[in-house]
Amino acid sequence: MAEEMPAATHGAGVFLELRKRLQSGLLIVRRDVAGSPPDVVVSGGDSCLNVRTPRGELSLTLPAGVTLEQGSCIQTPAGESSEDELHFRLRINIGRGTAEEAPDSGMETLRAKETYCFSCQGCMTRLLQDRMFKRVLPLPNGNWNAIVDDWCCHPDPFANKKLLPRAEDCLLGDTFVLLVRDGSCEQTLTEEVSPVGTEDGQDPKKACRRLALISCASCSSVLGEAVTKETLKLYITQVVVEPVMGDRKPEASLNRSLFLERTVAARLLELSNSLSTFHFSVQTPDGKNFLLLWLLNSDSITVSVPEACFGVERSISSPDLHSPSPRAARALKLLYISCSDAGLQQREVVASWEVNALGHPVVLPLKVCEELLQVIDDSNATLPASMRCMTSYEVAYLRL
């Protein structure tokens, strides 16, 4: 994924973040692009923002109903980055009829007594066809068993018991669905037992747990786990769930990193709204913290344009008719720490999160955790230098 963004290490030539709730925005222009402050002219149009610099003119497409308040753009101090960046604050107007589409992680679309098809996200092979569920029920959240003592005045009645679906049930976890196998699984899915966790000698009494991994028979992508011989756990980052509509064929698969980014962002937003939490701990199936995420806001509209787009030979004052204007999109703003690469300050933050059980657990397969970290690191690399860090955390945006 990193190879697709060669200009990422140099950050953005122009970066824009708008806040819908605050009706304000921040525009950052690299001095290599801007020259001096008077050389930067910002104007607005119908759902667009125009930035003119000595290197050319750039038109940024904004969501419908979002417009610049004319004359509101003023230069503000850039702090330690003043030698490399110019910062501008501006005001925006939001149209009254502007509707905000709710992002969909796939979990919210499942309904009882409707027919669905489950496809592999990697190759779009149909895995489970024409599945209709009599019941679609949410499972308790990820740490429910840690507070079960607060529910019961007698010994834990759920000890060593798994919550499993019946034949026509679909149970919804935070990042997965539980359902019963059907006859088509023999042709579309494969199963392989794999160890989870490592025996590093620090805890010799702790046995290495083993999982029965479920993979796509066509492309070998890991989709989830076999909880029992009859019950499947499929992760929402690995499958595409669509209602069955006549003879319609499954759509082409989205770019993997974009699908992962949007699915995780939508799910984090759903969990944040339903649980009133902003801290998430991305964990592997063995319960190890992999990534700490702190959701700052969900109303950001951002766009980042690499400095390479402002080349002399490819003047953006006369753009190619076939090259669409950079489009600003809704995104979650996150602070994050990778638990594996943390420095001293970061390790202290990780320890504090663990001691205080601060992050709501979000369990994903190890490979998916690594993919998600790459997506987040790529986002961080495209930001202006002044935006990449905040105290002990790094900053990233996940598109919705």
Side-chain angles (χ1 to χ4, degrees):
M1 286 178 284
E3 290 77 0
E4 298 175 2
M5 305 175 66
T9 55
H10 302 294
V14 169
F15 174 81
L16 175 69
E17 179 183 15
L18 306 177
R19 294 288 308 278
K20 292 188 70 173
R21 293 194 186 100
L22 302 179
Q23 295 193 16
S24 65
L26 172 65
L27 174 68
I28 299 179
V29 185
R30 281 183 61 91
R31 281 192 177 271
D32 297 345
V33 173
S36 59
D39 294 330
V40 180
V41 179
V42 179
S43 61
D46 185 15
S47 295
C48 71
L49 186 77
N50 303 311
V51 183
R52 189 170 74 244
T53 74
R55 297 270 290 272
E57 184 169 346
L58 178 67
S59 179
L60 304 175
T61 302
L62 305 180
V66 179
T67 56
L68 172 70
E69 184 179 303
Q70 297 297 341
S72 67
C73 186
I74 59 173
Q75 186 187 3
T76 58
E80 297 178 356
S81 302
S82 58
E83 293 185 1
D84 301 315
E85 301 172 359
L86 294 178
H87 290 203
F88 300 88
R89 288 287 178 182
L90 51 88
R91 301 286 299 174
I92 59 173
N93 296 315
I94 308 295
R96 288 187 177 181
T98 303
E100 188 173 89
E101 293 185 6
D104 176 25
S105 67
M107 305 285 279
E108 300 296 316
T109 61
L110 286 164
R111 297 285 186 273
K113 299 183 180 179
E114 293 188 16
T115 307
Y116 296 93
C117 172
F118 291 72
S119 303
C120 171
Q121 194 277 322
C123 65
M124 292 307 292
T125 296
R126 288 197 170 185
L127 307 170
L128 304 170
Q129 299 193 49
D130 300 337
R131 293 297 299 266
M132 179 183 289
F133 304 106
K134 288 186 176 179
R135 301 191 305 172
V136 178
L137 303 172
L139 287 165
N141 66 54
N143 58 354
W144 68 275
N145 53 348
I147 59 174
V148 71
D149 289 338
D150 297 331
W151 301 347
C152 305
C153 59
H154 47 78
D156 181 3
F158 306 106
N160 301 318
K161 292 183 179 179
K162 295 179 179 180
L163 299 179
L164 300 175
R166 296 177 182 174
E168 295 179 311
D169 288 349
C170 180
L171 304 185
L172 308 179
D174 286 344
T175 56
F176 60 86
V177 297
L178 289 181
L179 43 81
V180 176
R181 291 176 184 262
D182 63 16
S184 65
C185 295
E186 299 300 324
Q187 289 75 41
T188 59
L189 302 176
T190 62
E191 183 174 330
E192 179 184 1
V193 177
S194 174
V196 175
T198 58
E199 299 180 65
D200 54 10
Q202 295 180 357
D203 191 0
K205 296 182 180 180
K206 187 176 181 180
C208 183
R209 193 160 62 95
R210 304 179 74 82
L211 289 180
L213 299 181
I214 297 298
S215 302
C216 172
S218 298
C219 68
S220 301
S221 296
V222 175
L223 307 172
E225 307 159 15
V227 179
T228 67
K229 290 183 178 180
E230 300 298 327
T231 305
L232 297 176
K233 174 193 283 188
L234 301 178
Y235 287 99
I236 60 172
T237 57
Q238 310 306 101
V239 295
V240 177
V241 183
E242 295 179 308
V244 174
M245 300 175 63
D247 296 328
R248 186 172 68 89
K249 296 181 179 180
E251 299 177 0
S253 176
L254 282 176
N255 171 277
R256 170 60 183 169
S257 61
L258 181 58
F259 175 84
L260 177 62
E261 179 179 6
R262 289 180 173 174
T263 300
V264 172
R267 192 57 185 146
L268 290 178
L269 183 57
E270 291 165 359
L271 291 172
S272 179
N273 289 336
S274 63
L275 302 175
S276 298
T277 184
F278 304 95
H279 299 84
F280 299 93
S281 173
V282 178
Q283 300 177 353
T284 52
D286 59 354
K288 290 185 178 179
N289 289 337
F290 186 91
L291 188 62
L292 305 183
L293 303 178
W294 185 349
L295 174 58
L296 287 188
N297 60 65
S298 59
D299 66 329
S300 291
I301 299 171
T302 67
V303 62
S304 181
V305 182
E307 184 184 353
C309 292
F310 293 81
V312 176
E313 296 181 1
R314 187 186 170 188
S315 173
I316 57 174
S317 59
S318 53
D320 187 336
L321 293 177
H322 299 287
S323 299
S325 300
R327 181 176 296 274
R330 186 182 172 195
L332 299 184
K333 185 175 184 178
L334 302 171
L335 301 183
Y336 73 99
I337 289 179
S338 170
C339 300
S340 58
D341 300 327
L344 178 59
Q345 287 184 324
Q346 288 75 22
R347 286 199 298 271
E348 292 176 352
V349 174
V350 171
S352 174
W353 278 51
E354 292 177 345
V355 168
N356 296 295
L358 195 56
H360 179 79
V362 176
V363 179
L364 293 170
L366 175 59
K367 184 179 178 181
V368 179
C369 291
E370 294 169 345
E371 289 179 303
L372 178 60
L373 177 58
Q374 183 64 61
V375 168
I376 290 177
D377 280 340
D378 286 347
S379 170
N380 176 267
T382 63
L383 298 178
S386 61
M387 295 280 291
R388 293 180 190 173
C389 298
M390 187 179 295
T391 61
S392 299
Y393 296 84
E394 292 182 278
V395 181
Y397 293 84
L398 289 181
R399 289 168 290 181
L400 288 161

